[in-house]
């Protein structure tokens, strides 16, 4: 199938036409969370970004196998060489099994993803479930001469690798730069060079999570899991590998090195990276102690939050910026996203009240007939969601004019407008109405009460009791309701 989709490839640093290796089948691997704490806003951005990619590729007709891993061994968070297993540490503090900690936070992550309307991946492998595959990867690298054993641990030999391949091809770094940066660390220890990274670590006596291996009882290095699991489920070379920009170095750089060192060829055709979420210009994350959990966003229970924000407001906020651009958190930005989402969903709801005419006015016909293609063109240009949203907002303006009888639309164009708005808002952007979530019965009853009050107002108007009619209107307005008298009757909505 011919593809019009163009994506930015981090590896080549340019936009490239998307041409899957075995179209229409597409293999996509995305680095998932390390599950030792509640998911935060930093987890939401890659999840939403690659959910969008997943949705759009499927919409274009590709058969996508989407693999998103779970890192359930805490030492894999940054570098297996140093520090303590964060899951094991939490398990000791709370007197639980490490897998209890991992399972609890995996469940929390899934709940947050469900709230954000992130589709589940095709496969969600766990690092601890693929120890054998990771050991096999290490054995291949040793056999090919790119790793060495030291006191029961196995390290990747970057200098040996760099003589045949290029370490730093993804991040744009040279081996000398990397070695210079590494010299700032204290001592080489077991390694030939400080820049060498662990493929397998011998476990110390106090280390809880450990597995037998030909070299020692220990655990795999952080970088091994994605290489091993990507290969197992997507083949030796697959189409897309994604994740946050902070993973470019060292994690994805090391993955590339492991693929070449074990198989002599690249594992990935297109590397995709979403940019960071920041607070006051600093990356949001656990290591910076400035993160806000998604649960805190949903409840408003955090000193930096002025109020609670819905999951769909968070999703709209993320999609309002291009995935490769930085997004800086602020209450003002989230409140703007909330209003934008409300505007979009209200307009789509208002489509049901529009009566078609014999023909369209010129402006309406022009916007409606070009809307779908403009949205496709934006999506095909490296998933330009801000542009898609701007086109949908243009359509919202037309819808408001149609509701107010300031424009006309024919039956065919009304159908096309409705289908396009639903397609891009719900199916591709993945937004959804939240009114029915958990409170459906309460909100249904709430609506009936408002309708009853408006019926009383209508009766007062029919009786020419203008004082009562105006009082009901004014009281509703004071309570936050917007009431409109139209040719088709009375409409109302609750302003946030």
């Amino acid at each position: 199938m011919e593809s019009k989709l163009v994506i930015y490839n981090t590896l080549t640093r340019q936009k490239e036409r998307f041409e899957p290796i075995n179209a229409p089948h597409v293999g996509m691997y995305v680095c998932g969370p390390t599950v030792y704490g509640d998911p935060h806003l930093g987890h939401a951005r890659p999840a939403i970004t690659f959910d969008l990619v997943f949705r759009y590729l499927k919409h274009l007709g590709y058969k996508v196998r989407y693999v998103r891993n779970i890192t359930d061994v805490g030492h894999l968070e940054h570098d297996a060489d140093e520090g303590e297993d964060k899951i094991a540490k939490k398990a000791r503090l709370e007197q639980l099994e490490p897998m209890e900690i991992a399972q609890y936070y995996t469940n929390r992550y899934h709940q947050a993803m469900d709230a954000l309307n992130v589709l589940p991946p095709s496969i969600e492998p766990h690092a601890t479930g693929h120890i054998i595959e990771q050991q096999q990867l290490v054995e291949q690298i040793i056999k090919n001469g790119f790793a060495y054993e030291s006191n029961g641990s196995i390290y990747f030999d970057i200098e040996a690798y760099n003589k045949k391949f290029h370490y730093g091809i993804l991040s744009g770094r040279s081996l000398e730069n990397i070695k210079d940066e590494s010299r700032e660390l204290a001592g080489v220890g077991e390694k030939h060079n400080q820049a060498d990274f662990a493929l397998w670590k011998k476990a110390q006596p106090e280390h809880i999570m450990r597995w037998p291996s030909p070299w020692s009882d220990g655990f795999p290095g952080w970088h091994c899991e994605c290489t091993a699991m990507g290969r197992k489920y997507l083949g030796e070379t697959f189409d897309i590998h994604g994740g946050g920009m902070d993973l470019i170095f060292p994690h994805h750089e090391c993955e590339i090195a492991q693929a070449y060192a074990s198989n002599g060829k690249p594992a990935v055709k297109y590397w995709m990276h979403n940019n960071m979420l920041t607070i006051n210009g600093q990356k949001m994350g656990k290591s910076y102690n400035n993160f806000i959990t998604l649960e805190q966003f949903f409840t408003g229970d955090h000193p930096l939050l002025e109020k609670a924000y819905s999951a769909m407001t968070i999703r709209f906020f993320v999609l309002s910026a291009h995935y490769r651009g930085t997004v800086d958190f602020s209450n003002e930005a989230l409140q703007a996203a909330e209003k934008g989402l409300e505007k979009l969903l209200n307009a789509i709801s208002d489509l049901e009240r529009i009566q078609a005419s014999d023909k369209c006015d010129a402006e309406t016909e022009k916007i409606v007939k070009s809307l779908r293609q403009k949205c496709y063109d934006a999506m095909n240009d490296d998933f330009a969601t801000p542009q898609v949203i701007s086109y949908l907002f243009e359509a919202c303006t037309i819808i408001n004019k149609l509701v107010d009888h300031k424009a006309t639309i024919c039956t065919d164009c009304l159908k096309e407008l409705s289908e396009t708005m639903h397609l891009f808002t719900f199916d591709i952007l993945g937004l959804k109405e939240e009114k029915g979530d958990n409170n459906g019965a309460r909100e249904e009853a709430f609506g009936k009460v408002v309708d009853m009050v408006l019926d009383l107002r209508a009766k007062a108007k029919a009786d020419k009791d203008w004082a009562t009619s105006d009082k009901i209107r004014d009281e509703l307005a004071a309570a936050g309701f917007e009431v409109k008298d139209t040719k088709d009757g009375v409409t109302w909505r609750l302003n946030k």
Side-chain angles (χ1 to χ4, degrees), residues 10 27-31 50 69 226-227 230 238-243 247 251-252 255 267-273:
T10 310
M28 182 169 76
Y29 189 103
V30 175
C31 292
F50 291 100
N69 70 294
C226 293
T227 303
F238 55 90
D239 297 295
I240 297 173
H241 195 321
L247 296 179
H251 186 45
H252 289 166
E255 281 195 62
V268 179
K269 187 174 182 180
Y270 303 97
W271 287 89
M272 293 183 65
H273 294 89

Side-chain angles (χ1 to χ4, degrees), residues 36-173:
Y36 67 92
D38 273 333
H40 56 78
L41 192 60
H43 290 124
R45 192 168 196 196
I48 292 169
T49 293
F50 291 100
D51 180 61
L52 174 82
V53 175
F54 185 33
R55 287 170 178 271
Y56 192 59
L57 290 176
K58 290 202 301 179
H59 172 71
L60 293 179
Y62 293 108
K63 299 181 184 300
V64 186
R65 178 176 289 176
Y66 175 20
V67 180
R68 185 187 67 205
N69 70 294
I70 294 289
T71 298
D72 52 357
V73 187
H75 69 265
L76 305 180
E77 174 72 2
H78 283 294
D79 191 346
D81 299 359
E82 305 293 340
E84 188 174 8
D85 184 321
K86 296 179 181 179
I87 291 177
K89 179 180 179 180
K90 206 171 186 75
R92 277 197 299 271
L93 290 174
E94 299 186 20
Q95 296 185 326
L96 296 170
E97 283 291 326
M99 285 298 101
E100 285 186 86
I101 298 294
Q103 187 63 57
Y104 174 79
Y105 287 113
T106 298
N107 293 343
R108 298 280 286 175
Y109 177 75
H110 287 157
Q111 290 164 8
M113 294 304 103
D114 288 344
L116 292 167
N117 204 26
V118 170
L119 299 175
S122 312
I123 303 173
E124 191 174 58
H126 291 227
T128 55
H130 296 78
I131 300 299
I132 292 174
E133 289 84 355
Q134 294 177 71
Q135 290 179 354
Q136 290 170 342
L137 172 68
V138 175
E139 287 172 347
Q140 286 179 302
I141 296 173
I142 294 172
K143 180 181 177 182
N144 292 338
F146 297 112
Y148 56 89
E149 182 177 355
S150 180
N151 297 326
S153 294
I154 306 296
Y155 293 98
F156 191 94
D157 191 335
I158 288 181
E159 281 201 343
Y161 172 83
N162 204 58
K163 290 176 182 177
K164 185 172 182 180
F165 303 104
H166 175 199
Y167 185 78
I169 189 172
L170 184 67
S171 61
R173 303 184 184 204

Side-chain angles (χ1 to χ4, degrees), residues 347-361:
I348 292 174
S349 177
D350 285 343
L351 280 166
E352 299 177 6
R353 301 194 289 112
I354 295 172
Q355 296 295 318
S357 302
D358 294 334
K359 62 179 183 179
C360 300
D361 64 83

Side-chain angles (χ1 to χ4, degrees), residues 164-200:
K164 185 172 182 180
F165 303 104
H166 175 199
Y167 185 78
I169 189 172
L170 184 67
S171 61
R173 303 184 184 204
S174 69
L175 181 58
E176 289 306 313
N177 293 147
I178 295 165
K179 289 169 68 176
D180 286 343
E181 291 172 7
S182 300
R183 288 189 186 106
E184 296 176 6
L185 300 174
V188 173
E190 298 178 337
K191 304 178 187 180
H192 293 175
N193 292 289
Q194 188 64 46
D196 294 347
F197 59 89
L199 298 172
W200 184 266

Side-chain angles (χ1 to χ4, degrees), residues 33 91 140 155 184-185 201 210 237 291 322 374-375 471:
Q140 286 179 302
Y155 293 98
E184 296 176 6
L185 300 174
K201 282 290 288 183
R210 60 173 67 212
T237 302
F291 65 97
H322 191 271
K374 288 197 296 186
C375 289
K471 182 178 180 181

Side-chain angles (χ1 to χ4, degrees), residues 106-393:
T106 298
N107 293 343
R108 298 280 286 175
Y109 177 75
H110 287 157
Q111 290 164 8
M113 294 304 103
D114 288 344
L116 292 167
N117 204 26
V118 170
L119 299 175
S122 312
I123 303 173
E124 191 174 58
H126 291 227
T128 55
H130 296 78
I131 300 299
I132 292 174
E133 289 84 355
Q134 294 177 71
Q135 290 179 354
Q136 290 170 342
L137 172 68
V138 175
E139 287 172 347
Q140 286 179 302
I141 296 173
I142 294 172
K143 180 181 177 182
N144 292 338
F146 297 112
Y148 56 89
E149 182 177 355
S150 180
N151 297 326
S153 294
I154 306 296
Y155 293 98
F156 191 94
D157 191 335
I158 288 181
E159 281 201 343
Y161 172 83
N162 204 58
K163 290 176 182 177
K164 185 172 182 180
F165 303 104
H166 175 199
Y167 185 78
I169 189 172
L170 184 67
S171 61
R173 303 184 184 204
S174 69
L175 181 58
E176 289 306 313
N177 293 147
I178 295 165
K179 289 169 68 176
D180 286 343
E181 291 172 7
S182 300
R183 288 189 186 106
E184 296 176 6
L185 300 174
V188 173
E190 298 178 337
K191 304 178 187 180
H192 293 175
N193 292 289
Q194 188 64 46
D196 294 347
F197 59 89
L199 298 172
W200 184 266
K201 282 290 288 183
K202 180 180 180 180
Q204 298 303 310
E206 68 275 9
H207 205 98
I208 301 175
M209 302 180 81
R210 60 173 67 212
W211 292 265
S213 80
W215 318 289
S216 63
D217 278 6
F219 47 87
W222 173 34
H223 312 302
C224 290
E225 60 173 303
C226 293
T227 303
M229 293 189 291
R231 179 180 299 174
K232 179 179 177 70
Y233 296 109
L234 299 175
E236 291 186 354
T237 302
F238 55 90
D239 297 295
I240 297 173
H241 195 321
M245 196 170 287
D246 57 329
L247 296 179
I248 291 176
F249 188 88
H251 186 45
H252 289 166
E253 195 73 77
C254 293
E255 281 195 62
I256 289 175
Q258 290 171 162
Y260 275 110
S262 59
N263 279 343
K265 60 183 179 181
V268 179
K269 187 174 182 180
Y270 303 97
W271 287 89
M272 293 183 65
H273 294 89
N274 63 274
N275 213 320
M276 297 297 101
L277 282 159
T278 59
I279 296 181
N280 297 322
Q282 185 181 48
K283 176 195 168 187
M284 181 183 294
K286 286 186 173 68
S287 57
Y288 295 95
N289 200 31
N290 66 351
F291 65 97
I292 304 174
T293 69
L294 290 171
E295 180 69 20
Q296 288 169 327
F297 273 103
F298 301 158
T299 62
D301 184 21
H302 192 281
L304 291 176
L305 297 174
E306 294 179 2
K307 53 178 287 188
Y309 297 97
S310 73
M312 283 303 99
T313 296
I314 300 298
R315 186 175 180 108
F316 190 84
F317 169 67
V318 170
L319 293 172
S320 295
H322 191 271
Y323 78 90
R324 288 192 287 112
T326 303
V327 177
D328 197 51
F329 158 81
S330 70
N331 282 281
E332 292 79 10
L334 280 171
Q335 287 163 23
E338 186 176 63
K339 290 179 180 178
L341 175 63
E342 182 182 18
K343 173 183 176 180
L344 180 58
L345 295 181
N346 283 341
I348 292 174
S349 177
D350 285 343
L351 280 166
E352 299 177 6
R353 301 194 289 112
I354 295 172
Q355 296 295 318
S357 302
D358 294 334
K359 62 179 183 179
C360 300
D361 64 83
E363 181 188 15
T364 299
E365 185 175 24
K366 178 182 177 182
I367 289 179
V368 171
K369 288 189 173 182
S370 64
L371 177 62
R372 186 185 294 253
Q373 190 57 52
K374 288 197 296 186
C375 289
Y376 273 129
D377 289 344
M379 286 299 296
N380 287 334
D381 184 14
D382 197 29
F383 310 98
T385 54
Q387 196 63 50
V388 173
I389 291 171
S390 73
Y391 293 142
L392 296 178
F393 279 169

